[in-house]
Amino acid sequence: MQLVEPLLFVAYYWVSLFCTEERLWAIFAKRPLHTLRTSWFGSRHFVVAYAVAILLFGVALPRSCEAMRRACFADVRCARRLTRDAYGWYDADDGQWRAYRGSFVTLLLAAAVMTAITRRIKAEKPTARLACGLAFVAVAHGGGAGCVVGVCGLFHAASFLPPALAVPAAWALALACLLAKDPALPYRRALPAPRWPVLGAGMYAWPDALPLLVLRLVSHVADAARARKQGSTTRPAGYDLQGCLAHALYAPLYVAGPVVAFDAFRNAKSKPISGSDVSYALRTLIVGGFLELVLRRCPAFALGASGAFRRLEAVDMAAFAFVTINVLWLKFCFMWRVARSWARFDGVDPPENMGRFVCDNFAAAGFWRGWHGSFNRWLVAYVYRPLLGAKASSVRRLAATGVVFAFVALWHDARPKLFVWGLVNFVLVGLERVVGVEARARRVVERAGPPAWDTVGVCALGAGNIVLLIGGNVVGYAVGVGGATTLFSGVFGPGAVGAAALAAWVVLGAGTFAALAVRRVEFFASRCDNSNVKS
């Protein structure tokens, strides 16, 4: 049993890297040995990265997880947050994951039934999808389903306004919905909570669905306004109420996303189920298996919520922050990939939400392109580019970036820690642009031959970026500002004698080197593909 955790964590890193990144998976699946032999992964320069990975995932993390378990069981507030089942204790302290896990079997049954219906009814597939969406929302929200349809009707009514007024009206409705759904604000208590016979109030409250719902509805209004500007008719075909509801209530993506813009959904052409869809679903199950195993070995949620992580030593605090961000990635990756798998089996191919493995990042801008990627694309299309306008000066880019992060914080919840999270990421993205982190990395990646000495500088910059990325996300989604202050003082403060800080820098620098190796594989594979196309 002593080898279980080392093998689990080592397998987690390599399997997640190669199985969850679709571009890397496609490249290695085509020519695995050749790609390995000709990349940095097969060079002598990568020996250090392999050694660091084995020491981190095979030695340090298992030891720190044991320390985390002891700290949790020694703290009454942490221990009582754990649950027990036939397989032992389990950390189900995260409310979102607990609710999703509890309804997972029901979700799978709904997916199977609704996909069978829409696959069977080919001629009237849009109508069938709308009917399935309405049924899904009725079961999910009970009497609140009427409120959801009413919100859709309000946004659709806004699309009838002149294009110059339609989008501002949609944004006013969106901000009102986001403020109304926030449990920390008093407006939510004024929202209706109707109950229907048999269904009652449903499986979860309808205001909790508003964040994703307003993204779809804003895109409906904005895309309709753009179509009216470009076309000669006052009301182009396809932007009717049925289309609005079919898109907003699309069952596979309703609960968790990914986010699909209205025009992309309207123009999507149904495709048959392929081997790649099955492969994607199976690899999604691997992600869920890792999450289940990790939450049985490391109580990251309970430690963060109870504050028991403060009992940890400096090195174990660093490991706690690292494990926390990985557990968050596993949770969201599994939820989003399940939804995308369902949509793909239904014939719709939405964007990938987790384009990168969480440990395959070294820049904040790249991290947010890969984490909740469909939301990032939505923000670029409906917030960032409209704010830039025709003259994209540096000042306007910086201001637009600030507005984007402020909106994302409000979109999640109007809490101080999330606005701190937004500020940290805004500053980090701005610093990256000044220093040119991604430009430096691109020069290293696109250069032929073995890594040169400037690779060391990029790895050092990447390590610093990763520290701030982990810190910012731990603030927003785990321990808050006070907890993050404790973490940083414990790991990088004078009491740590620099050992934990140095270890963290070496580990994260090696992780950056591995990320550069991945980018290099992708770059030369794309160049090879382009040359084949031209020939």
Side-chain angles (χ1 to χ4, degrees), residues 375-398:
F375 189 22
N376 177 274
R377 292 169 65 167
W378 186 95
L379 290 166
V380 170
Y382 298 104
V383 182
Y384 186 75
R385 284 178 183 162
L387 287 175
L388 283 186
K391 298 179 180 179
S393 64
S394 299
V395 174
R396 292 194 73 160
R397 288 180 185 275
L398 192 63

Side-chain angles (χ1 to χ4, degrees), residues 174-191 205-211 406-419:
L175 293 175
C177 288
L178 293 177
L179 291 173
K181 65 86 184 174
D182 198 321
L185 299 175
Y187 312 113
R188 178 154 177 165
R189 291 193 292 271
L191 294 177
W206 72 269
D208 294 335
L210 287 175
F407 172 75
V408 173
L410 176 64
W411 183 82
H412 283 93
D413 273 320
R415 297 180 184 178
K417 69 176 186 178
L418 284 167
F419 286 102

